[in-house]
Amino acid sequence: MAVRVTAPAVRAERRNPRPAYRAHLIPKVRRNVGAWGFLIGAVLCFSFFSWYPIVREVIMSFQKPVYGGGYAWAGWTNYVRIFHDPTFWQAWRNTLEFTLLALVIGFVVPFFVALLLNELRHAKGYLRVLVYLPVMLPPASALLLFAYFYNPQYGLFDDLLRILHLPTSQWVFQPGSGFVSTAMVSVVIASTWMNMGGATLIYLAALQNIPGELYEAAEIEGAGLIRRIRHVTIPQTRLILMLLLMLQVVATMQMFIESFVLTNGGGGVGNNTLSVVMLIYQYAFAMSGASNYNSASALGVVLMLVLAVFSGGLLWATRERG
Amino acid sequence: MKSRQRYRLPYRPVVVVAAVAGLALTAAACSSSTASSGGGTAGGNVTISIDCAPPASQQPVQHKEWVEDIALFEKANPNITVNSVYNYPCEVPATFTAMLRGGTESDIFYTYFTDLPQVLLAGQAADITQYVNSKTVPNLKDIVSGSMKAVTAGTTVYGLPTSNYTQGLIYNRQLFSEAGLNPNDPPTTWAEVEQDAEAISKLGHGINGWGDYSAGNNGGWHFSSYLDALGGTMVNDSTGTPTAAFDTSDGVAILQALHTLRFTDSAMSATQGLAWGTLQQQFAAGKLGMYIAAPDDIYNVIVPSDKGNLNDIAMGPLPSLTGAPAGSLSGGNDYVFAKHDTPAQIEAGIKWIDFEDLTPGDGQFDFSRQKADGFPVGFPEPELFGGTTGTKINQLRTEYATINTSYYEPFVKANEAGDGEPMDAQAVYKTLDPVMLAVLTEANADIPALLKTAATNVNTILANSGG
């Protein structure tokens, strides 16, 4: 049936042309305004507080300060300078030492604590709170507590050693530049105590997602505890393990506050707990007139590249095949 | 269903408000703000912000007097408002560096004498040369030249000095007596220091004869002063390229003496890695016999903050090898005017500093009020002025003295020559901290090797300084 369009209706259409795309766009915008709001906020936050500082850091690493304020281009000077600084290599070596020790202690211990918590039948909730409690302490407070424990004059640990008639230690101020030094182990112990609660809870959540039938089947097949862990628990939590491994390495490579607080900002005897990030801090802030933001930026860029290569490599090596 | 709808948050407005708030917060966080507070024009109303105002919690008497002085000053100058920024310690190198880079300093900001090159490199100082003269600062000609030099580059003046110091030996008379030592005869050589420190440590109860720093740049700072007392210097800047000058037999002798105090005499605490503030606490608690510092440690920290007993405290000269210190590290502090200051703010700031810090009988030199407030009066420093102004201040200081000035005579009589701080002082001190730490924690420390490494590192810093 043909529709008759009256003359006034046609005139109204001509006065208020409403193209088809507008008719579609407005409801679409209305429907997505919330999403756009959140997206813009997130993008702005990331832009100002993450991406801009990264870009600025890279630019600053190729600049040098000019007397009276401002900067001039410096080429590779800052990179050459940091590579010639003897503390640069020591800081990397210390950071590697901390990362490996933190992996051995800080990656494995929470996993076994989670296994234990998962097996418990009683007081589960209390023990979980107990394990997580240190995470709630502000890091500086937790470390000041450990600084007190480590004090060689009136600290808890040396008091215990004295009671047991064992030789005492200066802990974080113990001289020694070996790869597994007492000073670094002391820092790792404090760090693990502070941080293991978070990792333990994540492991626990992963463990509780493993279907019980898998364990039952393994038991029927005659698998003992070790084989159950090896053939059921670890494969089932593989993704979480890999993710936490990557996060752990990235976090430990950026170790700062642990050594800074425990050694009063000094980096230990013979700089034996000085980390890369502490060196960045020293370049940028601790030397007053000779402080150099540009060398600090260059070292920051080097650290960022190392971490990016490591993370990429780990993701590639542990990707799902087939 | 209906009621649920009624109480639902209006979704879109919330999102819009959140987005706008986020944007506003982001913009606020990213905006570069300074502490500048109202420039005004010459003759009109003007507001100045000034840091290093004494906080009530840490320096109650100084705080009370500061507040009184602000009221007096503002009454005399009704067009000027002073906004105090309360902070103590007045400067921490890390935050100071960040403040300069961010350009967020107060209109008039506190600096150490060693800071001017850093302030100028950052482009944060205002040229106040044309505003500083005998009319605006009547006692200008009597300010000791070393102190004016600290705020001057070439012929351009950027600030005004407010205090200066040399260092000496602060010791606990009570512990000296208990250890059978003569409290009127402080040690003057390192050998005597060892004898006295060992005797004090034998008192037990956690008492140590000697204390020293090895963190927070303070270890290097003390080493520098010890070296000055032996006639040495940290940096040789008389030649074209400045170089480290502390890797000498005197440097080794100093570190060897400290190592002996720690490991042979057992006269030092097993707790090391200490930074500024800790020795004052130990000293005030009667757990430390001796350490080196400037007199202001006593009246700014040990007595008011750490509640030490003023009657137990005395001062002698810095230890040396001969008993007569060749010099002492000298330093001080000042107020620099920020780049963003208007001419009216500069004039107002100079007026305030002149009133508070540079006039006998007023502000920091109002000894009559300090005596009435129970603040200890009569310490030998600051010696900011020579000439008639210096004489007048010393007359007032003697007139209102509340301390036993004879306890400080050994320090005054030594008349240590003030050696300024080395070039790139904080970086040099920072490099010497690990050396001090190793000497105080390693029983088998290789002192010559430690000094050699530190000298190499300092030479690297000096070669690259500021660039």
Side-chain angles (χ1 to χ4, degrees):
Chain A
M1 194 172 85
V3 176
R4 278 177 65 101
V5 179
T6 59
V10 171
R11 279 199 295 276
E13 185 74 10
R14 279 182 190 150
R15 276 202 305 273
N16 300 307
R18 195 168 187 173
Y21 74 90
R22 270 195 70 186
H24 289 294
L25 187 68
I26 289 167
K28 216 175 185 177
V29 167
R30 276 190 186 148
R31 203 165 50 242
N32 293 319
V33 69
W36 281 110
F38 283 116
L39 186 67
I40 289 169
V43 167
L44 282 176
C45 274
F46 275 109
S47 303
F48 284 120
F49 301 117
S50 290
W51 301 325
Y52 172 71
I54 290 171
V55 173
R56 188 88 184 87
E57 184 186 33
V58 174
I59 292 170
M60 281 179 72
S61 73
F62 291 101
Q63 292 179 323
K64 62 180 179 185
V66 177
Y67 202 78
Y71 294 95
W73 293 109
W76 294 95
T77 314
N78 296 312
Y79 290 90
V80 171
R81 183 180 301 167
I82 61 167
F83 281 111
H84 281 96
D85 180 353
T87 50
F88 172 84
W89 298 108
Q90 189 173 9
W92 276 104
R93 181 195 156 285
N94 293 342
T95 303
L96 194 66
E97 181 186 354
F98 179 82
T99 304
L100 290 176
L101 285 172
L103 277 186
V104 172
I105 302 173
F107 184 66
V108 178
V109 171
F111 185 68
F112 283 99
V113 170
L115 281 176
L116 193 70
L117 285 177
N118 197 38
E119 294 299 321
L120 286 176
R121 294 284 173 267
H122 303 288
K124 263 185 178 176
Y126 296 111
L127 287 170
R128 273 182 220 166
V129 170
L130 214 60
V131 169
Y132 195 71
L133 214 52
V135 180
M136 295 184 198
L137 267 181
S141 311
L143 289 163
L144 285 173
L145 190 73
F146 264 86
Y148 183 78
F149 289 161
Y150 285 143
N151 188 293
Q153 204 175 0
Y154 46 78
L156 175 72
F157 294 154
D158 271 351
D159 277 352
L160 290 173
L161 292 174
R162 273 188 278 268
I163 289 168
L164 298 169
H165 299 287
L166 291 170
T168 55
S169 172
Q170 298 184 81
W171 303 104
V172 280
F173 287 116
Q174 182 72 24
S177 52
F179 194 70
V180 182
S181 64
T182 305
M184 191 58 93
V185 171
S186 305
V187 174
V188 172
I189 288 171
S191 172
T192 305
W193 183 84
M194 271 168 38
N195 299 314
M196 68 177 275
T200 303
L201 282 196
I202 295 171
Y203 287 137
L204 197 58
L207 290 174
Q208 289 178 348
N209 275 334
I210 301 174
E213 306 88 72
L214 293 178
Y215 287 111
E216 284 166 20
E219 271 184 43
I220 291 166
E221 296 288 333
L225 178 69
I226 303 294
R227 290 185 67 190
R228 286 207 301 276
I229 291 173
R230 191 179 155 199
H231 295 293
V232 179
T233 310
I234 291 177
Q236 288 293 313
T237 53
R238 184 178 153 276
L239 276 178
I240 295 288
L241 283 172
M242 283 304 124
L243 179 71
L244 279 181
L245 176 70
M246 191 176 82
L247 294 178
Q248 177 101 353
V249 171
V250 170
T252 51
M253 291 280 278
Q254 297 182 59
M255 186 266 275
F256 173 74
I257 191 168
E258 289 91 344
S259 178
F260 189 83
V261 173
L262 290 172
T263 65
N264 247 334
V269 181
N271 286 326
N272 62 359
T273 60
L274 178 83
S275 69
V276 173
V277 179
M278 270 182 87
L279 190 59
I280 292 175
Y281 172 84
Q282 290 193 356
Y283 280 157
F285 300 111
M287 297 200 285
S288 201
S291 289
N292 191 316
Y293 273 31
N294 304 96
S295 294
S297 300
L299 186 49
V301 170
V302 172
L303 178 63
M304 186 175 69
L305 289 175
V306 168
L307 290 177
V309 168
F310 164 78
S311 305
L314 186 73
L315 288 175
W316 180 82
T318 58
R319 71 195 188 282
E320 292 279 1
R321 290 182 176 85
Chain B
M1 220 36 203
K2 213 172 180 184
S3 64
R4 187 184 289 177
Q5 272 184 343
R6 195 184 304 151
Y7 290 110
R8 253 178 71 181
L9 279 171
Y11 177 62
R12 281 186 188 122
V14 167
V15 169
V16 171
V17 169
V20 170
L23 277 171
L25 281 171
T26 308
C30 294
S31 67
S32 155
S33 66
T34 67
S36 184
S37 38
T41 52
N45 289 333
V46 60
T47 301
I48 51 171
S49 60
I50 182 162
D51 64 7
C52 192
S57 56
Q58 290 160 289
Q59 298 173 297
V61 177
Q62 291 102 315
H63 175 82
K64 170 193 165 285
E65 295 182 351
W66 175 275
V67 172
E68 285 171 4
D69 286 347
I70 298 266
L72 277 173
F73 180 76
E74 288 182 343
K75 197 175 174 190
N77 302 278
N79 64 322
I80 301 174
T81 304
V82 180
N83 283 338
S84 305
V85 179
Y86 294 97
N87 59 319
Y88 191 83
C90 295
E91 182 185 325
V92 176
T95 44
F96 182 75
T97 303
M99 179 184 84
L100 286 183
R101 295 290 176 176
T104 56
E105 63 277 350
S106 305
D107 299 327
I108 296 138
F109 61 102
Y110 174 100
T111 81
Y112 296 143
F113 279 0
T114 51
D115 289 332
L116 191 62
Q118 185 188 10
V119 175
L120 295 179
L121 179 67
Q124 291 300 319
D127 176 357
I128 63 164
T129 314
Q130 60 170 307
Y131 302 96
V132 178
N133 51 55
S134 58
K135 279 184 185 166
T136 57
V137 184
N139 300 315
L140 182 66
K141 68 177 190 330
D142 286 338
I143 296 176
V144 292
S145 60
S147 297
M148 270 316 284
K149 222 168 122 183
V151 290
T152 309
T155 55
T156 309
V157 180
Y158 293 95
L160 287 167
T162 56
S163 188
N164 61 352
Y165 71 85
T166 53
Q167 289 187 322
L169 178 86
I170 294 185
Y171 66 97
N172 186 316
R173 290 176 59 85
Q174 176 68 23
L175 293 180
F176 263 61
S177 297
E178 285 175 24
L181 304 168
N182 180 358
N184 296 318
D185 185 22
T188 56
T189 64
W190 279 105
E192 289 173 1
V193 164
E194 282 179 37
Q195 281 174 15
D196 294 357
E198 193 176 4
I200 291 168
S201 293
K202 283 182 178 161
L203 292 171
H205 305 292
I207 295 169
N208 294 297
W210 186 261
D212 226 319
Y213 301 124
S214 46
N217 302 5
N218 307 135
W221 176 49
H222 269 194
F223 177 78
S224 179
S225 206
Y226 294 139
L227 196 64
D228 285 340
L230 267 58
T233 180
M234 293 296 282
V235 173
N236 178 8
D237 52 7
S238 57
T239 53
T241 311
T243 50
F246 52 79
D247 183 12
T248 60
S249 57
D250 282 346
V252 173
I254 291 161
L255 295 176
Q256 190 57 57
L258 290 169
H259 191 262
T260 306
L261 278 163
R262 167 76 176 88
F263 291 102
T264 309
D265 305 331
S266 300
M268 294 181 76
S269 168
T271 308
Q272 294 301 330
L274 303 176
W276 190 90
T278 45
L279 295 182
Q280 292 89 334
Q281 287 170 357
Q282 291 175 14
F283 190 89
K287 297 290 181 191
L288 180 61
M290 299 176 270
Y291 78 107
I292 67 158
D296 73 323
D297 256 29
I298 301 166
Y299 57 83
N300 274 334
V301 189
I302 295 173
V303 175
S305 300
D306 298 336
K307 311 298 177 203
N309 184 355
L310 186 63
N311 295 323
D312 290 344
I313 307 170
M315 278 192 78
L318 285 172
S320 61
L321 297 176
T322 60
S328 161
L329 184 144
S330 66
N333 45 269
D334 51 69
Y335 275 115
V336 169
F337 288 73
K339 187 80 178 171
H340 57 247
D341 288 357
T342 62
Q345 284 179 311
I346 292 172
E347 285 170 4
I350 290 172
K351 209 175 233 184
W352 163 253
I353 295 169
D354 181 59
F355 167 71
E356 181 65 8
D357 296 304
L358 303 176
T359 305
D362 283 337
Q364 69 162 332
F365 297 120
D366 186 349
F367 298 118
S368 141
R369 179 181 58 177
Q370 287 176 11
K371 185 177 181 179
D373 287 341
F375 192 77
V377 178
F379 291 98
E381 288 181 353
E383 282 281 5
L384 196 56
F385 293 96
T388 51
T389 312
T391 308
K392 199 171 177 185
I393 287 171
N394 283 328
Q395 278 170 354
L396 289 169
R397 195 179 266 153
T398 309
E399 186 183 341
Y400 293 104
T402 59
I403 62 168
N404 189 336
T405 49
S406 68
Y407 290 179
Y408 298 86
E409 266 174 24
F411 171 69
V412 175
K413 277 183 181 166
N415 197 22
E416 297 165 349
D419 298 338
E421 296 189 69
M423 180 182 179
D424 281 328
Q426 297 298 333
V428 172
Y429 300 157
K430 176 91 206 156
T431 314
L432 266 297
D433 267 0
V435 176
M436 291 287 280
L437 184 63
V439 165
L440 298 177
T441 52
E442 275 191 76
N444 302 316
D446 184 348
I447 291 170
L450 286 167
L451 274 181
K452 196 176 177 190
T453 305
T456 306
N457 291 345
V458 165
N459 285 335
T460 307
I461 288 167
L462 294 171
N464 294 312
S465 180

